[in-house]
Amino acid sequence: MSKNKTPWQADSWQTKPALQQPAYPDATALDTVLGRLKTLPPLVTSWEIEALKTQIAAAQRGEAFVLQGGDCAETFADCNSATITRKLKILLQMSVLMLHGLKTPVVRIGRIAGQYAKPRSADTETIKGIELPSFRGDLVNSPEFTQAARIPNPKLMLSGYQHSALTLNFIRSLIDSGFADLHHPENWDLDWVQHSPMADGYHAIVSDIASSLDFFETISGHPISTTRRVDFYTSHEGLQLLYEEAQTRFLPHRQRWYNLSAHMPWIGVRTAGLDGAHVEYFRGIANPVGVKIGPEMAGDWLAGLIDTLNPDNEPGKLTLIHRFGADRIGEQLPPLIEQVKQSGAHVLWMCDPMHGNTETASNGRKTRRFDRILGELETAFDVHKANGSHLGGVHFELTGDDVTECTGGARGLNDEGLDRAYLTQVDPRLNYEQALEMAMRIASRVQ
Ligand code: PEP
Ligand code: CO
């Protein structure tokens, strides 16, 4: 396949068909917002972005493991101290369990501080004969079914930028002040971990880690400097291209373009067409990027994505996030692994066991079953191993809250139980306990 060396600009995507873009009725208001976004300071820096790329390159070589997780859709309303803290805690706890089990550094990437735009299957929604634009996430419009709420409002992009900044500011402060210190994992205990059937297992592992650290520090005479900033990175689906473009800057000291709204943006499965605007936009930025790989992406498509998104085969640059579903992964993944092996491309293979396993529960709720999520993940580990490759990361939709959106897990949540705390704006997320159990299963399996 020939490499795409046609000139690229931050706005060259505008010449291609762009799926999933809102239609803003007020062009003047849109221009004002974009102009402002272009001048506001970046949310992340190229140093952080390059550090993440280095860590993803290590994961590609099997020397680290990537944990990516967070909400399907963040909301502005959930930008508060308790929700952010709980999300950070669950990701830290999961990473500690994985670190212990996998005996390898764990790179944490939140679906956080910018995951505000969602792809929809239809542009409009009709209720009782009234047709209105679909809700596309807080970055674009509001969920209430009224004309005023559903008309895309460009000011929400400024609000999205501000909520991302507030979230990131709080995360950086928590981490800088020692919240993530491995010596004090008790900081992260969520109130009700005490009542979980897995609490004992979790505490045993955590105290094992703390005593290993103490032992190491005693014999070496040096503190392990875990209180300085642990690495925590941000990501979101790079869906709303005007928003992404406005935060894309050319950095003279690197002579490259960066998307400075998140460390690792990804392309969703619905917008990964080779001739589409999203792939065009993503091919020009220096960030590590993810691309979701679904059941329909057969050989040529994948080859085209790899060639276009990483023409120079730069290590750490490209993560393939496969999401086939528990029933299909065993059949669909092996040929893709073989093809990537043949091509010599550096990629990180990551498994998203959520998006191929969405179903409707007996009471009509959209749900996912714990066993199927775990099943896809276990198959992913097996298939990679059997095909001479390795799974280097996992991608979850989860929350630090006690929601009831996915069934199963240690407490055996059933379909009827879903109604108690079904809060998601879009897809069903693992709750705190289910997420912790998932991490323990991954860790113990590899041991
Ligand atoms: C998502 O990650 O929330 C999502 C929409 O995923 P996908 O593009 O894989 O369907
Ligand atoms: Co989702």
Side-chain angles (χ1 to χ4, degrees):
M1 183 147 320
S2 64
K3 307 275 186 211
N4 181 351
K5 293 282 183 192
T6 44
W8 180 93
Q9 301 283 336
D11 65 356
S12 53
W13 63 268
Q14 297 195 22
T15 64
K16 307 268 180 176
L19 300 180
Q20 301 284 344
Q21 303 306 291
Y24 292 103
D26 184 344
T28 315
L30 178 62
D31 281 352
T32 307
V33 163
L34 294 175
R36 182 79 185 116
L37 266 182
K38 283 179 185 168
T39 63
L40 287 165
L43 296 172
V44 303
T45 69
S46 67
W47 285 273
E48 295 167 341
I49 292 172
E50 290 298 331
L52 175 59
K53 209 191 283 172
T54 304
Q55 296 192 28
I56 293 177
Q60 289 175 341
R61 298 191 303 269
E63 294 161 15
F65 192 80
V66 179
L67 167 64
Q68 185 175 20
D71 288 305
C72 182
E74 287 182 274
T75 65
F76 296 168
D78 271 348
C79 182
N80 60 61
S81 159
T83 308
I84 297 168
T85 308
R86 282 196 294 261
K87 244 182 280 184
L88 189 60
K89 281 178 181 176
I90 183 63
L91 287 168
L92 289 169
Q93 284 176 323
M94 290 175 80
S95 70
V96 164
L97 294 171
M98 292 167 140
L99 171 83
H100 188 259
L102 302 171
K103 307 276 180 270
T104 175
V106 176
V107 184
R108 307 164 195 91
I109 308 177
R111 284 174 65 115
I112 202 165
Q115 177 54 16
Y116 295 123
K118 294 309 295 177
R120 302 312 306 258
S121 49
D123 284 344
T124 61
E125 185 180 351
T126 304
I127 299 181
K128 293 188 183 144
I130 301 173
E131 187 181 20
L132 290 176
S134 296
F135 172 56
R136 293 186 175 277
D138 282 4
L139 194 66
V140 175
N141 54 5
S142 307
E144 303 82 55
F145 194 74
T146 65
Q147 179 95 356
R150 291 294 178 90
I151 299 287
N153 175 359
K155 286 198 180 126
L156 293 173
M157 285 193 271
L158 269 182
S159 206
Y161 164 87
Q162 286 156 352
H163 283 88
S164 299
L166 296 170
T167 305
L168 201 48
N169 179 59
F170 186 48
I171 291 174
R172 291 189 196 279
S173 301
L174 279 173
I175 288 178
D176 279 351
S177 54
F179 179 77
D181 185 349
L182 281 178
H183 298 80
H184 296 287
E186 69 277 6
N187 287 347
W188 324 329
D189 262 0
L190 304 177
D191 318 335
W192 50 287
V193 73
Q194 317 305 341
H195 312 295
S196 160
M198 290 162 311
D200 289 349
Y202 173 72
H203 287 297
I205 291 174
V206 159
S207 71
D208 189 29
I209 292 172
S211 51
S212 309
L213 281 177
D214 289 346
F215 175 73
F216 186 85
E217 291 180 349
T218 308
I219 57 167
S220 70
H222 300 293
I224 298 172
S225 48
T226 44
T227 48
R228 73 185 167 84
R229 171 138 89 245
V230 303
D231 299 321
F232 186 88
Y233 299 99
T234 61
S235 66
H236 62 253
E237 178 172 350
L239 184 68
Q240 223 298 46
L241 290 174
L242 288 171
Y243 180 77
E244 305 300 330
E245 179 197 324
Q247 295 180 80
T248 302
R249 315 267 156 94
F250 183 74
L251 301 184
H253 61 281
R254 297 198 187 268
Q255 289 292 303
R256 295 185 80 173
W257 291 84
Y258 286 82
N259 180 327
L260 297 175
S261 74
H263 301 107
M264 180 182 145
W266 78 84
I267 308 178
V269 94
R270 290 164 194 77
T271 49
L274 281 180
D275 299 323
H278 290 78
V279 170
E280 172 61 22
Y281 168 76
F282 270 78
R283 82 178 169 92
I285 55 173
N287 303 56
V289 301
V291 58
K292 293 285 197 88
I293 303 298
E296 52 292 308
M297 292 181 183
D300 283 355
W301 190 345
L302 180 61
L305 283 173
I306 293 174
D307 255 9
T308 308
L309 295 172
N310 193 15
D312 300 324
N313 204 12
E314 184 184 0
K317 167 81 196 175
L318 187 59
T319 297
L320 303 179
I321 310 169
H322 52 74
R323 29 87 82 223
F324 294 111
D327 293 339
R328 289 192 277 203
I329 180 172
E331 184 193 327
Q332 306 216 339
L333 183 55
L336 300 186
I337 294 176
E338 187 52 34
Q339 186 195 334
V340 169
K341 264 187 2 201
Q342 295 292 333
S343 74
H346 298 299
V347 305
L348 178 71
W349 290 105
M350 179 183 277
C351 176
D352 164 1
M354 311 300 292
H355 287 89
N357 294 309
T358 312
E359 56 186 274
T360 305
S362 52
N363 58 0
R365 292 280 194 196
K366 192 170 164 189
T367 192
R368 291 161 173 160
R369 287 195 263 153
F370 186 91
D371 287 347
R372 295 182 77 79
I373 299 170
L374 184 62
E376 177 159 1
L377 203 51
E378 297 200 311
T379 310
F381 276 107
D382 291 343
V383 167
H384 278 289
K385 197 165 180 205
N387 289 274
S389 149
H390 72 273
L391 188 70
V394 288
H395 183 118
F396 292 115
E397 283 185 348
L398 54 80
T399 158
D401 297 320
D402 178 18
V403 300
T404 53
E405 299 168 7
C406 294
T407 59
R411 278 185 201 249
L413 184 70
N414 59 19
D415 286 11
E416 288 66 50
L418 290 176
D419 286 335
R420 185 173 61 78
Y422 193 96
L423 303 178
T424 184
Q425 216 181 27
V426 192
D427 288 338
R429 302 160 294 179
L430 294 171
N431 65 27
Y432 166 72
E433 267 185 29
Q434 290 167 330
L436 208 56
E437 185 178 355
M438 200 59 77
M440 288 177 80
R441 299 284 200 105
I442 296 170
S444 62
R445 185 201 138 79
V446 178
Q447 273 180 326

